[in-house]
Amino acid sequence: MRQPRLDLTLAALCCLGALVSPPSAAVPVNHAQGVLGATDALLLVIDGLDEEMAAQGLSRMRVEQELSSRLLAAGMQVVPESGLAAGQNTGILTLRVRLDRAPYYFFLYNINLTLSSKLPMNAGSNAFTTTPTWSDGWVGAVQPTDVGQLQGFAEELLARFLEQREVE
């Protein structure tokens, strides 16, 4: 008679252990050698940070300010969207954050940083398309009180990007 209750308890503990696991790294996108080092200006795009995340301690403005200041300190120019077409070696650096409320009052998250490089459409114009040339990220689970830690994860992803850029 006690066997079903024990199985249910073990299953619940396994699920709980999976929810509080540390972040797991995503597989970086392979990139062409030299692309990161040649990119000297970036349009910084923050995607997915909303009011609910701000209420939980993850402010879009604070994240954008911190990442911009780190890029500037690393010698990269941060350009507005209007400056994207003008620069030859300008890329788009996108921080994408997804946060979903899970059962038992946890949040599941996916945080990703992607560099998209410009590819000219033709030599005589400013028309271009973009292609992802570098990407890294994490997925995991956090308690609502720890959502603000995702800013630290974003900063770590940016540090990895800048480190890879220095290597090239």
Side-chain angles (χ1 to χ4, degrees):
M1 292 303 263
R2 294 195 164 237
Q3 186 66 25
R5 183 169 175 83
L6 180 62
D7 289 342
L8 183 61
T9 303
L10 288 174
L13 287 174
C14 288
C15 289
L16 183 61
L19 285 175
V20 294
S21 64
S24 59
V27 178
V29 171
N30 292 330
H31 64 277
Q33 192 68 21
V35 171
L36 297 181
T39 304
D40 55 9
L42 292 170
L43 168 65
L44 181 60
V45 177
I46 309 292
D47 179 34
L49 292 179
D50 58 18
E51 294 80 26
E52 182 180 9
M53 290 183 207
Q56 299 295 336
L58 188 62
S59 163
R60 175 189 198 94
M61 188 168 58
R62 204 170 78 213
V63 169
E64 188 170 2
Q65 287 173 344
E66 183 62 32
L67 296 185
S68 293
S69 67
R70 287 182 183 232
L71 287 167
L72 291 170
M76 300 208 60
Q77 183 181 5
V78 179
V79 299
E81 190 171 349
S82 61
L84 183 61
Q88 184 178 4
N89 295 328
T90 305
I92 302 171
L93 191 64
T94 304
L95 175 69
R96 181 168 287 124
V97 181
R98 299 290 183 253
L99 196 64
D100 293 317
R101 189 176 297 275
Y104 306 109
Y105 206 59
F106 281 94
F107 283 107
L108 303 175
Y109 68 86
N110 179 344
I111 184 168
N112 184 276
L113 188 67
T114 302
L115 172 69
S116 297
S117 296
K118 289 178 14 179
L119 296 175
M121 298 295 279
N122 59 33
S125 75
N126 283 341
F128 64 89
T129 186
T130 61
T131 185
T133 52
W134 182 89
S135 182
D136 199 358
W138 285 302
V139 296
V142 293
Q143 294 180 349
T145 56
D146 296 333
V147 168
Q149 290 180 357
L150 293 179
Q151 178 166 344
F153 295 167
E155 293 168 9
E156 175 64 27
L157 290 172
L158 182 62
R160 288 182 184 190
F161 167 75
L162 294 172
E163 181 181 303
Q164 183 67 41
R165 185 176 178 270
E166 287 294 320
V167 171
E168 292 187 10

